[in-house]
Amino acid sequence: IIKEGDIINDEKPSKDCDVYILYVGTLLDGTQFDCSTNRDKPFNFKLGQNQVIKGWDESVKTMRRGEIAIFIIRSDYGDSDSDSENGLLIPPNSTLKFEIELLNWIDNIDIID
């Protein structure tokens, strides 16, 4: 953990939340292959719905709001079988390193009358 998140509330996002993160992705040799801060807005996805690599679903659910952490993600939890994922140059079976900041999340609770 680079920066502790909100330890007062100790809340963590749950499955199906829309999470908002900033991230930098590198190979273990330091080669950067992606960075959300190059875009105009945070990256968001629905937690636990396989919209991102398994390593992100597993990692982000452990974080608190405002936390910044580094995660080393094995190839079986990342882009293990592709030379390029979404145009990114990631060699097959690579271990990936992500610095992730969990900015916020929105709980998606069904309201039943």
Side-chain angles (χ1 to χ4, degrees):
I1 296 176
I2 295 172
K3 177 185 167 214
E4 291 284 342
D6 182 359
I7 57 174
I8 295 171
N9 292 316
D10 198 36
E11 293 179 313
K12 295 176 183 170
S14 58
K15 185 175 180 183
D16 297 326
C17 287
D18 288 313
V19 295
Y20 295 83
I21 66 169
L22 296 176
Y23 69 90
V24 177
T26 62
L27 302 176
L28 291 182
D29 69 3
T31 303
Q32 183 176 304
F33 58 83
D34 196 14
C35 181
S36 68
T37 58
N38 294 339
R39 300 175 189 97
D40 291 336
K41 59 183 179 179
F43 182 77
N44 75 296
F45 64 96
K46 192 172 291 292
L47 190 62
Q49 294 299 310
N50 299 317
Q51 294 181 345
V52 294
I53 60 173
K54 184 177 182 180
W56 276 18
D57 274 336
E58 295 297 320
S59 300
V60 172
K61 73 181 184 183
T62 69
M63 299 178 74
R64 294 181 182 104
R65 186 176 281 111
E67 183 175 315
I68 301 173
I70 293 178
F71 295 97
I72 305 298
I73 299 178
R74 299 184 327 229
S75 63
D76 57 330
Y77 280 73
D79 298 322
S80 62
D81 59 353
S82 177
D83 280 321
S84 64
E85 180 72 21
N86 297 324
L88 307 175
L89 299 177
I90 301 172
N93 301 312
S94 294
T95 298
L96 307 175
K97 180 179 176 181
F98 287 97
E99 179 178 312
I100 299 176
E101 179 177 3
L102 177 58
L103 299 173
N104 203 1
W105 68 84
I106 299 171
D107 289 315
N108 293 308
I109 301 170
D110 290 333
I111 299 174
I112 300 173
D113 293 339

